[in-house]
Amino acid sequence: MAARREKADAMRKQGGEPFPHSFEGVEAIAEVLSAHDGLADGEETESKHRVAGRLAARRGQGGAAFLDLYDRSGRIQLLAQTDHLGEEAFEAVRDLDLGDLIGVDGTAIRTKRGQLSLKLDAVTLLAKSLRPPPDKHHGLKDIETRYRRRELDLIASEDARDLFVTRAKVITAIRGFLDRDGFIEVETPVLQPLYGGAAARPFTTHHNALDRNFFLRIATELYLKRLIVGGLERVYELGKDFRNEGISPKHNPEFTMLEWYEAYSDYMVIASRLEDLVRHVAKEIEYEGEIDFESPWQRESLRDSILSRCGVDILAHRDRDSLAKEMEAKGLEVPKTDTWPQLVDELLTKHVEPELIQPTILFDYPVELSPFAKDHRSEPGLVERFEAYAAGMEISNAFSELNDPDEQRRRFESQRADAAAGDEEAQPFDEAYLRALEQGMPPTGGIGIGIDRLVMLLTGSKTIREVVLFPAMRDES
RNA sequence: GGGCCGUUAGCUCAAUUGGCAGAGCAGGGGACUCUUAAUCCCAAGGUUGUAGGUUCGAUUCCUACACGGCCCA
């Protein structure tokens, strides 16, 4: 590092600038490569190109040196010859360090060994790299460093760069799909006077001028449905939610969520659109993994999904003790939990979710688990809700939205009782939301999709930290 | 929260039973005008995560802590 600093200082003393302002007229390296695809070995052209990027490798230092330069699009070999460049410029090339950002002007040739290269006419240092790059062929393997210093990971790993490009394509494809279907993208408050729309503990923060606390949103659901009341009919929001909970391979405290709501539809319409959306996205990113998004997704009721795997009929045992007894009878471990929904969640999470590798929609949930879903049109005690799973992971949660304000009020009251009994994830009572429902909300279907998990699924990533650029970490020691 | 594993040079990794802490790459000096994990020669690079303990002697054994990973709750 000291040597690199000295080179930068020496350059300044000689009137040079190790950090110039710009370098205009750059071509993507991939374009240069494809423009000379057919060039024969040993053949030279008159074709001039200007490219810029980071220096990755260097070979030879006599009268000729080969350098590898890469940008976002690709990697190209540079040939520096003292005869052609002149002594001074060649010395400048010798002074470059791996990791330096440079701009070059060169002439396209193919070497005798068949490598398309730019024969250098001029080289400009665009930014001196004062710190050494990771190992040029082992890359950066330390997981902790890859997450804490993602820029190093991106410098060292084309796979890492590709993954985040894919993530961007996923998001672009989602927007394209929903926009074409007549949805409008909206932005609702991140700072909310009252949080809601999911079972989670919030972050709190303080607004000085108003002298009051705000919550960082845990979901966009309730505001988006107020827009449905307002007549926007088809809305979506793609943005960050925040949940003040543990960190795990599937959980980051801030994460990206897509929610959409459409008037005059229900959860089955939503299920079809979800399949179409994911199929569209997989196609756009040219997905070639193990998951089959093309065929119709498997569909099972929640009750059947548990019954077939555990032999326990949750609907035949609608209270905590009865279900616990039945689980025991089937030889299943019964956690020390207080409520029936927690036992159902245990069965689902432990015994069903890990089995759902190919995309599967589980539908018709107990009302106790779903304070914003509409009662089932034919099954008492159930609501019209589904969750979509793939690769053993929940990726989506949707319902026919509860639009009866009086029923919604009863659900909030029941949540209030749960909260009083110590449930920290119970929904707070939201009078502003009820007032909106009293204005009249059309029958509506809505959904939330975890974008980080969808990207995990589409890129075969095992942890959310692989698909979030800067995952949450403890302070370094 | 519990259990197990890891933490050694800028990066990737070694180090026998507790006995002088090593290599490759990167960086420094030198040779080399078709190399592509370039090659060759020379020199340098370390508070072994932190704090204690045991010992004549600790990267190695013990304890605590920090960070990370995996599993469990």
Side-chain angles (χ1 to χ4, degrees), chain A residues 123-357:
Chain A
V123 178
T124 310
L125 180 63
L126 299 181
K128 187 70 189 168
S129 177
L130 295 176
R131 292 180 185 273
D135 187 283
K136 70 179 176 185
H137 33 269
H138 296 102
L140 183 63
K141 291 196 173 168
D142 184 71
I143 292 172
E144 186 175 347
T145 309
R146 289 186 46 235
Y147 298 158
R148 286 190 193 279
R149 304 180 61 192
R150 182 69 85 180
E151 66 281 3
L152 286 187
D153 186 30
L154 294 169
I155 284 171
S157 166
E158 189 176 355
D159 287 348
R161 295 194 292 275
D162 287 348
L163 191 146
F164 289 103
V165 170
T166 298
R167 182 179 170 120
K169 285 180 181 162
V170 167
I171 286 168
T172 300
I174 288 170
R175 286 204 165 97
F177 178 90
L178 291 172
D179 292 346
R180 268 198 300 283
D181 276 357
F183 287 80
I184 60 167
E185 183 171 6
V186 297
E187 292 171 275
T188 64
V190 172
L191 293 177
Q192 302 183 344
L194 196 62
Y195 64 95
R201 287 191 293 175
F203 288 90
T204 56
T205 188
H206 188 78
H207 190 283
N208 291 335
L210 294 179
D211 189 24
R212 67 154 296 163
N213 284 336
F214 277 94
F215 300 101
L216 271 64
R217 68 186 180 195
I218 60 172
T220 48
E221 172 159 354
L222 303 186
Y223 281 99
L224 290 178
K225 284 191 277 192
R226 285 167 68 175
L227 300 180
I228 297 295
V229 170
L232 295 186
E233 293 186 344
R234 290 184 172 205
V235 296
Y236 73 96
E237 182 158 8
L238 187 50
K240 288 274 181 80
D241 288 346
F242 306 84
R243 296 184 183 174
N244 203 342
E245 295 176 344
I247 294 174
S248 86
K250 289 176 189 171
H251 298 86
N252 198 53
E254 61 178 287
F255 61 101
T256 303
M257 177 81 107
L258 166 69
E259 292 191 35
W260 87 67
Y261 292 82
E262 46 182 305
Y264 314 114
S265 78
D266 62 18
Y267 73 144
M268 284 301 160
V269 173
I270 298 286
S272 304
R273 198 184 301 282
L274 171 65
E275 280 192 39
D276 290 346
L277 169 66
V278 175
R279 195 173 294 130
H280 169 76
V281 171
K283 199 171 169 188
E284 286 293 305
I285 66 159
E286 294 168 9
Y287 175 80
E288 284 176 345
E290 303 288 304
I291 311 284
D292 176 15
F293 297 107
E294 287 305 315
S295 312
W297 296 8
Q298 191 179 325
R299 296 194 186 198
E300 296 178 60
S301 71
L302 176 66
R303 169 182 181 256
D304 289 346
S305 76
I306 294 173
L307 186 58
S308 67
R309 289 169 183 86
C310 306
V312 173
D313 186 347
I314 56 168
L315 298 187
H317 304 275
R318 285 306 294 264
D319 61 81
R320 196 253 167 218
D321 292 342
S322 159
L323 182 56
K325 202 171 290 177
E326 174 68 3
M327 285 168 70
E328 245 165 62
K330 300 292 179 189
L332 300 171
E333 214 173 300
V334 180
K336 290 175 196 143
T337 53
D338 299 331
T339 66
W340 184 83
Q342 284 170 321
L343 289 185
V344 172
D345 189 59
E346 162 88 7
L347 289 167
L348 175 60
T349 309
K350 280 279 176 56
H351 303 288
V352 179
E353 183 170 346
E355 309 269 303
L356 303 179
I357 304 306

Side-chain angles (χ1 to χ4, degrees), chain A residues 194 408-410 412-413 416 427-432 434:
Chain A
L194 196 62
Q408 184 66 68
R409 185 175 293 277
R410 286 191 288 275
F412 274 134
E413 276 158 4
R416 187 144 64 184
Q427 288 293 321
F429 202 104
D430 191 335
E431 198 61 58
L434 284 173

